[in-house]
Amino acid sequence: MPRPTAAQLSYGSVTVVFATLAMLLLSRTGSGVGIAVIGTAALALGLLVAVTVPQPSRAKTAKQARARSAVRVNQDAVSASAADARVL
């Protein structure tokens, strides 16, 4: 199983916090059992949100990596030509 991305972790965490607050405020429960049920439901909802966040595709990530390396090569070529121009 792949590691969760930063987006998955943040969306899941925010969902848990806001879902817990909303359910506690709407239910006005004060018992320990009610709070435990709400906390469990919020955790399940946060897990569902985190799992359904789309992950970047491998093809897109590989394409971006190739583009970054091409930019680095171009920057190195420009730096080298600038250095040659200074020598002259």
Side-chain angles (χ1 to χ4, degrees), residues 42-66:
L43 285 173
L45 183 62
L47 180 63
L48 178 69
V49 168
V51 169
T52 57
V53 171
Q55 292 185 343
S57 66
R58 291 183 186 197
K60 183 178 179 181
T61 328
K63 186 177 180 181
Q64 289 173 346
R66 283 193 302 270

Side-chain angles (χ1 to χ4, degrees), residues 5-75:
T5 62
Q8 288 175 311
L9 291 174
S10 59
Y11 285 146
S13 300
V14 167
T15 301
V16 169
V17 170
F18 285 131
T20 303
L21 287 175
M23 286 190 278
L24 284 173
L25 290 173
L26 291 173
S27 69
R28 296 183 184 166
T29 187
S31 68
V33 174
I35 293 172
V37 168
I38 288 173
T40 303
L43 285 173
L45 183 62
L47 180 63
L48 178 69
V49 168
V51 169
T52 57
V53 171
Q55 292 185 343
S57 66
R58 291 183 186 197
K60 183 178 179 181
T61 328
K63 186 177 180 181
Q64 289 173 346
R66 283 193 302 270
R68 276 189 239 120
S69 66
V71 168
R72 284 189 204 120
V73 168
N74 289 340
Q75 287 174 346

